[in-house]
Amino acid sequence: MLNVQDITLRYGAKTIVEALSFHLAEGEIGCLLGASGCGKTTVLRAIAGFEPVAHGRIVLAGVTVAESVASVPPEARQIGMVFQDYALFPHLSIAGNIGFGLSRMPRAERDARVAELLVLVGLDGQGGRYPHELSGGQQQRVALARALAPRPRLLLLDEPFSNLDVELRERLAQDVRAILKAAGTTAVLVTHDQHEAFAVADMVGVMAGGQIRQWASPYQLYHEPADRFVADFIGEGVFLPGRVTGSQCVEIELGQICRIVPIHCCPDCEVDVLIRPDDIQHDDASPIQARVVAKAFRGAEFLYTLELASGNRVLSLVPSHHNHAIGEMIGIQAEIDHVIAFAR
Amino acid sequence: MDFSPIVPALPSLWEGMLLTLKLLAFSVIGGVALGTVLALARLSSNKVLSLLAGFYVNYFRSIPLLLVITWFYFVVPFIIGWITGTNQPIGAFTSCLVAFMMFEAAYYCEIVRAGIQAISRGQVNAAYALGMTYGQTMRLIILPQAFRKMTPLLLQQSIILFQDTSLVYAVGLMDFLNSARSQGDITGNLHEFLLFAGLIYFIISFGASTLVKRLQKRLTV
């Protein structure tokens, strides 16, 4: 459906994005995730047609829409876009905003489509109001409905939740995913917030320095990061030194863990094993003891920083009724289904 | 001081006022229209267009209005005659009107340009993303918002224009001020007539200005 092939994007002499590729199937939601300045928004703008492509090409539904030599202008790409600041038209009503992209439709048909979208985004009967009368979350929904109205081949969302309260953000992220899935829309989301990316997207590309470091499902990104950068960027965790003991096992100070994700490393070599906070479980009966050196209350759980006998530290998520004092020794156990190890 | 001769002169003063208002109305309409076109040209990505419009605006803003009026009074009939191939006299009113439109367009252009630039770039992108062309985007999204924002400024500029229309005395057009002056000369009460004209200009300009300020407050809330 969307095929971004080897694109390079430049502002003047400065290269923002280099040789970036990814692919989205029909109906799939992709996400470009990265810190600000990594080039993710520039990629989105290139797909929309607001930035020229210096090299490579963008193919949308079998049609090349951008190449270094020629490009289809934004208005002809049949792409919907939701902007960070929503960019609702303040002089038009909600219905006017949503129906704006439908100017070529007969009036009755357009009204029906607008009504249908108002229902889809949960703003039934509010078409006569104006953008400034709506809350941030409602404006966001209108922006989404406006972008979906002309049935775009592809929907682009540029940091769509960054102007919302944290609480609203999570709920709306789920709503947006549900709305997009209900409409069967292929979409690309850009965000710096991994929770948002995980909540909305099927496939996530972790970006840094103008490149995608890994393009994978959220589960894979978290549990099977392709490199140390992705491992660091996604979620929390630490690296513990370990030694490969067999074809599928690695020995760390918490014991031997098997089902290791294959690495190019001979037996007996030294590796760093990624340990996530959810890999370390609190177990009073466990012989392995660790000292609590820091704790962060997160409501349902504590995030403990624990010091092992060797002096290495690990993180552990523990249900918050296990309230241990700093300095206390607690029993822990590594409950690791599969580990990922990186060669030294 | 004897203000009594003003009463019988009121009909001819009214005639003058009508001419002033007619001149004002046409100049504002033509000036804003031309000014909008100039503003779009100045903001155009086409360098030549943008430079030409910039030159036009800077030129007309750098010369006195009185010069433009007298200059057009002589040149416009010549140009129109040259275009149409006939040699009909076109009259002081038309040449003044053309002069005002072209002169004021330079000022309106800058107001419209600022108004367009005050609309966030996101609005343009949003319209493009919805499949609109440049023309549709300007007509349906940018200009409606821009005009709403700049209405007070356009009106303020028009109030200045209302006062400036009195410069048509230079080419002998009988506007309000010129009627007052000539009636004053006829009756020998020039001072009274000029005082009266000043009062009327003050009432209209100040009243309009107050209304614009109130409008501005309402629009900004």
Side-chain angles (χ1 to χ4, degrees), chain B residues 58-75:
Chain B
N58 286 325
Y59 178 72
F60 275 97
R61 278 160 61 103
S62 312
I63 55 174
L65 178 54
L66 192 57
L67 178 71
V68 181
I69 291 168
T70 43
W71 192 60
F72 271 67
Y73 181 62
F74 296 113
V75 169

PDB file of all heavy atoms in Angstrom, chain B residues 58-75:
ATOM      1  N   ASN B  58       6.277  49.801  -3.023  1.00  0.00           N
ATOM      2  CA  ASN B  58       7.268  50.739  -2.495  1.00  0.00           C
ATOM      3  C   ASN B  58       7.242  52.063  -3.244  1.00  0.00           C
ATOM      4  O   ASN B  58       7.426  53.125  -2.658  1.00  0.00           O
ATOM      5  CB  ASN B  58       8.668  50.125  -2.563  1.00  0.00           C
ATOM      6  CG  ASN B  58       8.832  49.060  -1.492  1.00  0.00           C
ATOM      7  OD1 ASN B  58       8.288  49.198  -0.392  1.00  0.00           O
ATOM      8  ND2 ASN B  58       9.525  47.988  -1.816  1.00  0.00           N
ATOM      9  N   TYR B  59       6.995  51.997  -4.548  1.00  0.00           N
ATOM     10  CA  TYR B  59       6.953  53.217  -5.340  1.00  0.00           C
ATOM     11  C   TYR B  59       5.797  54.107  -4.882  1.00  0.00           C
ATOM     12  O   TYR B  59       5.983  55.274  -4.556  1.00  0.00           O
ATOM     13  CB  TYR B  59       6.824  52.867  -6.823  1.00  0.00           C
ATOM     14  CG  TYR B  59       6.735  54.098  -7.688  1.00  0.00           C
ATOM     15  CD1 TYR B  59       7.862  54.901  -7.884  1.00  0.00           C
ATOM     16  CD2 TYR B  59       5.531  54.483  -8.277  1.00  0.00           C
ATOM     17  CE1 TYR B  59       7.785  56.054  -8.650  1.00  0.00           C
ATOM     18  CE2 TYR B  59       5.454  55.633  -9.045  1.00  0.00           C
ATOM     19  CZ  TYR B  59       6.584  56.409  -9.230  1.00  0.00           C
ATOM     20  OH  TYR B  59       6.500  57.547  -9.974  1.00  0.00           O
ATOM     21  N   PHE B  60       4.601  53.538  -4.837  1.00  0.00           N
ATOM     22  CA  PHE B  60       3.433  54.365  -4.498  1.00  0.00           C
ATOM     23  C   PHE B  60       3.438  54.830  -3.048  1.00  0.00           C
ATOM     24  O   PHE B  60       2.831  55.831  -2.711  1.00  0.00           O
ATOM     25  CB  PHE B  60       2.132  53.626  -4.828  1.00  0.00           C
ATOM     26  CG  PHE B  60       1.715  53.799  -6.257  1.00  0.00           C
ATOM     27  CD1 PHE B  60       2.017  52.841  -7.207  1.00  0.00           C
ATOM     28  CD2 PHE B  60       1.065  54.955  -6.661  1.00  0.00           C
ATOM     29  CE1 PHE B  60       1.650  53.010  -8.527  1.00  0.00           C
ATOM     30  CE2 PHE B  60       0.700  55.136  -7.982  1.00  0.00           C
ATOM     31  CZ  PHE B  60       0.998  54.164  -8.927  1.00  0.00           C
ATOM     32  N   ARG B  61       4.126  54.082  -2.207  1.00  0.00           N
ATOM     33  CA  ARG B  61       4.215  54.510  -0.811  1.00  0.00           C
ATOM     34  C   ARG B  61       5.276  55.587  -0.616  1.00  0.00           C
ATOM     35  O   ARG B  61       5.381  56.171   0.453  1.00  0.00           O
ATOM     36  CB  ARG B  61       4.508  53.299   0.102  1.00  0.00           C
ATOM     37  CG  ARG B  61       3.239  52.511   0.426  1.00  0.00           C
ATOM     38  CD  ARG B  61       3.569  51.122   0.887  1.00  0.00           C
ATOM     39  NE  ARG B  61       4.374  51.118   2.100  1.00  0.00           N
ATOM     40  CZ  ARG B  61       3.887  50.853   3.310  1.00  0.00           C
ATOM     41  NH1 ARG B  61       2.621  50.591   3.462  1.00  0.00           N
ATOM     42  NH2 ARG B  61       4.676  50.855   4.355  1.00  0.00           N
ATOM     43  N   SER B  62       6.058  55.831  -1.643  1.00  0.00           N
ATOM     44  CA  SER B  62       7.150  56.792  -1.508  1.00  0.00           C
ATOM     45  C   SER B  62       6.867  58.135  -2.167  1.00  0.00           C
ATOM     46  O   SER B  62       7.713  59.026  -2.145  1.00  0.00           O
ATOM     47  CB  SER B  62       8.429  56.210  -2.105  1.00  0.00           C
ATOM     48  OG  SER B  62       8.639  54.916  -1.640  1.00  0.00           O
ATOM     49  N   ILE B  63       5.715  58.269  -2.811  1.00  0.00           N
ATOM     50  CA  ILE B  63       5.419  59.550  -3.469  1.00  0.00           C
ATOM     51  C   ILE B  63       4.141  60.151  -2.887  1.00  0.00           C
ATOM     52  O   ILE B  63       3.274  59.426  -2.402  1.00  0.00           O
ATOM     53  CB  ILE B  63       5.286  59.379  -5.007  1.00  0.00           C
ATOM     54  CG1 ILE B  63       4.240  58.317  -5.347  1.00  0.00           C
ATOM     55  CG2 ILE B  63       6.636  59.027  -5.635  1.00  0.00           C
ATOM     56  CD1 ILE B  63       3.966  58.217  -6.824  1.00  0.00           C
ATOM     57  N   PRO B  64       4.031  61.486  -2.916  1.00  0.00           N
ATOM     58  CA  PRO B  64       2.844  62.113  -2.330  1.00  0.00           C
ATOM     59  C   PRO B  64       1.588  61.836  -3.154  1.00  0.00           C
ATOM     60  O   PRO B  64       1.657  61.761  -4.390  1.00  0.00           O
ATOM     61  CB  PRO B  64       3.167  63.609  -2.358  1.00  0.00           C
ATOM     62  CG  PRO B  64       4.578  63.727  -2.794  1.00  0.00           C
ATOM     63  CD  PRO B  64       4.972  62.470  -3.453  1.00  0.00           C
ATOM     64  N   LEU B  65       0.476  61.704  -2.447  1.00  0.00           N
ATOM     65  CA  LEU B  65      -0.806  61.443  -3.107  1.00  0.00           C
ATOM     66  C   LEU B  65      -1.176  62.563  -4.073  1.00  0.00           C
ATOM     67  O   LEU B  65      -1.696  62.325  -5.169  1.00  0.00           O
ATOM     68  CB  LEU B  65      -1.897  61.253  -2.037  1.00  0.00           C
ATOM     69  CG  LEU B  65      -3.327  61.023  -2.513  1.00  0.00           C
ATOM     70  CD1 LEU B  65      -3.415  59.858  -3.487  1.00  0.00           C
ATOM     71  CD2 LEU B  65      -4.240  60.751  -1.322  1.00  0.00           C
ATOM     72  N   LEU B  66      -0.878  63.782  -3.651  1.00  0.00           N
ATOM     73  CA  LEU B  66      -1.233  64.933  -4.482  1.00  0.00           C
ATOM     74  C   LEU B  66      -0.565  64.841  -5.850  1.00  0.00           C
ATOM     75  O   LEU B  66      -1.163  65.145  -6.885  1.00  0.00           O
ATOM     76  CB  LEU B  66      -0.815  66.231  -3.767  1.00  0.00           C
ATOM     77  CG  LEU B  66      -1.352  67.526  -4.361  1.00  0.00           C
ATOM     78  CD1 LEU B  66      -2.870  67.512  -4.429  1.00  0.00           C
ATOM     79  CD2 LEU B  66      -0.886  68.728  -3.542  1.00  0.00           C
ATOM     80  N   LEU B  67       0.680  64.360  -5.830  1.00  0.00           N
ATOM     81  CA  LEU B  67       1.425  64.185  -7.080  1.00  0.00           C
ATOM     82  C   LEU B  67       0.734  63.155  -7.961  1.00  0.00           C
ATOM     83  O   LEU B  67       0.557  63.357  -9.166  1.00  0.00           O
ATOM     84  CB  LEU B  67       2.850  63.744  -6.757  1.00  0.00           C
ATOM     85  CG  LEU B  67       3.738  63.473  -7.970  1.00  0.00           C
ATOM     86  CD1 LEU B  67       4.091  64.763  -8.667  1.00  0.00           C
ATOM     87  CD2 LEU B  67       4.994  62.735  -7.542  1.00  0.00           C
ATOM     88  N   VAL B  68       0.316  62.035  -7.333  1.00  0.00           N
ATOM     89  CA  VAL B  68      -0.347  60.974  -8.090  1.00  0.00           C
ATOM     90  C   VAL B  68      -1.625  61.496  -8.727  1.00  0.00           C
ATOM     91  O   VAL B  68      -1.913  61.228  -9.897  1.00  0.00           O
ATOM     92  CB  VAL B  68      -0.677  59.770  -7.172  1.00  0.00           C
ATOM     93  CG1 VAL B  68      -1.352  58.663  -7.964  1.00  0.00           C
ATOM     94  CG2 VAL B  68       0.582  59.256  -6.509  1.00  0.00           C
ATOM     95  N   ILE B  69      -2.385  62.305  -7.947  1.00  0.00           N
ATOM     96  CA  ILE B  69      -3.658  62.828  -8.462  1.00  0.00           C
ATOM     97  C   ILE B  69      -3.436  63.723  -9.676  1.00  0.00           C
ATOM     98  O   ILE B  69      -4.056  63.537 -10.726  1.00  0.00           O
ATOM     99  CB  ILE B  69      -4.408  63.595  -7.347  1.00  0.00           C
ATOM    100  CG1 ILE B  69      -4.894  62.611  -6.282  1.00  0.00           C
ATOM    101  CG2 ILE B  69      -5.582  64.372  -7.934  1.00  0.00           C
ATOM    102  CD1 ILE B  69      -5.391  63.283  -5.019  1.00  0.00           C
ATOM    103  N   THR B  70      -2.533  64.653  -9.536  1.00  0.00           N
ATOM    104  CA  THR B  70      -2.310  65.581 -10.662  1.00  0.00           C
ATOM    105  C   THR B  70      -1.716  64.852 -11.854  1.00  0.00           C
ATOM    106  O   THR B  70      -2.106  65.064 -13.004  1.00  0.00           O
ATOM    107  CB  THR B  70      -1.364  66.729 -10.241  1.00  0.00           C
ATOM    108  OG1 THR B  70      -0.286  66.196  -9.491  1.00  0.00           O
ATOM    109  CG2 THR B  70      -2.090  67.744  -9.395  1.00  0.00           C
ATOM    110  N   TRP B  71      -0.808  63.944 -11.560  1.00  0.00           N
ATOM    111  CA  TRP B  71      -0.147  63.182 -12.606  1.00  0.00           C
ATOM    112  C   TRP B  71      -1.175  62.360 -13.395  1.00  0.00           C
ATOM    113  O   TRP B  71      -1.201  62.372 -14.613  1.00  0.00           O
ATOM    114  CB  TRP B  71       0.887  62.285 -11.929  1.00  0.00           C
ATOM    115  CG  TRP B  71       1.856  61.644 -12.848  1.00  0.00           C
ATOM    116  CD1 TRP B  71       2.722  62.263 -13.681  1.00  0.00           C
ATOM    117  CD2 TRP B  71       2.044  60.245 -13.026  1.00  0.00           C
ATOM    118  NE1 TRP B  71       3.452  61.353 -14.366  1.00  0.00           N
ATOM    119  CE2 TRP B  71       3.055  60.097 -13.980  1.00  0.00           C
ATOM    120  CE3 TRP B  71       1.460  59.102 -12.469  1.00  0.00           C
ATOM    121  CZ2 TRP B  71       3.507  58.846 -14.397  1.00  0.00           C
ATOM    122  CZ3 TRP B  71       1.913  57.885 -12.878  1.00  0.00           C
ATOM    123  CH2 TRP B  71       2.928  57.745 -13.831  1.00  0.00           C
ATOM    124  N   PHE B  72      -2.040  61.665 -12.654  1.00  0.00           N
ATOM    125  CA  PHE B  72      -3.055  60.846 -13.318  1.00  0.00           C
ATOM    126  C   PHE B  72      -4.054  61.700 -14.083  1.00  0.00           C
ATOM    127  O   PHE B  72      -4.597  61.279 -15.097  1.00  0.00           O
ATOM    128  CB  PHE B  72      -3.784  59.963 -12.291  1.00  0.00           C
ATOM    129  CG  PHE B  72      -3.114  58.641 -12.087  1.00  0.00           C
ATOM    130  CD1 PHE B  72      -1.874  58.574 -11.491  1.00  0.00           C
ATOM    131  CD2 PHE B  72      -3.711  57.469 -12.512  1.00  0.00           C
ATOM    132  CE1 PHE B  72      -1.231  57.365 -11.315  1.00  0.00           C
ATOM    133  CE2 PHE B  72      -3.080  56.252 -12.338  1.00  0.00           C
ATOM    134  CZ  PHE B  72      -1.841  56.207 -11.741  1.00  0.00           C
ATOM    135  N   TYR B  73      -4.283  62.891 -13.570  1.00  0.00           N
ATOM    136  CA  TYR B  73      -5.243  63.776 -14.229  1.00  0.00           C
ATOM    137  C   TYR B  73      -4.806  64.057 -15.662  1.00  0.00           C
ATOM    138  O   TYR B  73      -5.618  64.096 -16.582  1.00  0.00           O
ATOM    139  CB  TYR B  73      -5.344  65.086 -13.443  1.00  0.00           C
ATOM    140  CG  TYR B  73      -6.332  66.067 -14.033  1.00  0.00           C
ATOM    141  CD1 TYR B  73      -7.691  65.752 -14.118  1.00  0.00           C
ATOM    142  CD2 TYR B  73      -5.910  67.304 -14.508  1.00  0.00           C
ATOM    143  CE1 TYR B  73      -8.593  66.635 -14.652  1.00  0.00           C
ATOM    144  CE2 TYR B  73      -6.809  68.202 -15.041  1.00  0.00           C
ATOM    145  CZ  TYR B  73      -8.150  67.871 -15.114  1.00  0.00           C
ATOM    146  OH  TYR B  73      -9.036  68.757 -15.645  1.00  0.00           O
ATOM    147  N   PHE B  74      -3.489  64.164 -15.843  1.00  0.00           N
ATOM    148  CA  PHE B  74      -2.985  64.416 -17.181  1.00  0.00           C
ATOM    149  C   PHE B  74      -2.740  63.147 -17.970  1.00  0.00           C
ATOM    150  O   PHE B  74      -2.959  63.090 -19.163  1.00  0.00           O
ATOM    151  CB  PHE B  74      -1.686  65.240 -17.108  1.00  0.00           C
ATOM    152  CG  PHE B  74      -1.919  66.596 -16.515  1.00  0.00           C
ATOM    153  CD1 PHE B  74      -1.393  66.947 -15.288  1.00  0.00           C
ATOM    154  CD2 PHE B  74      -2.717  67.524 -17.197  1.00  0.00           C
ATOM    155  CE1 PHE B  74      -1.634  68.184 -14.726  1.00  0.00           C
ATOM    156  CE2 PHE B  74      -2.960  68.770 -16.644  1.00  0.00           C
ATOM    157  CZ  PHE B  74      -2.418  69.111 -15.407  1.00  0.00           C
ATOM    158  N   VAL B  75      -2.290  62.087 -17.274  1.00  0.00           N
ATOM    159  CA  VAL B  75      -1.830  60.889 -17.967  1.00  0.00           C
ATOM    160  C   VAL B  75      -2.960  59.910 -18.295  1.00  0.00           C
ATOM    161  O   VAL B  75      -2.988  59.334 -19.378  1.00  0.00           O
ATOM    162  CB  VAL B  75      -0.724  60.186 -17.143  1.00  0.00           C
ATOM    163  CG1 VAL B  75      -0.411  58.813 -17.696  1.00  0.00           C
ATOM    164  CG2 VAL B  75       0.515  61.059 -17.137  1.00  0.00           C
TER     165      VAL B  75
END
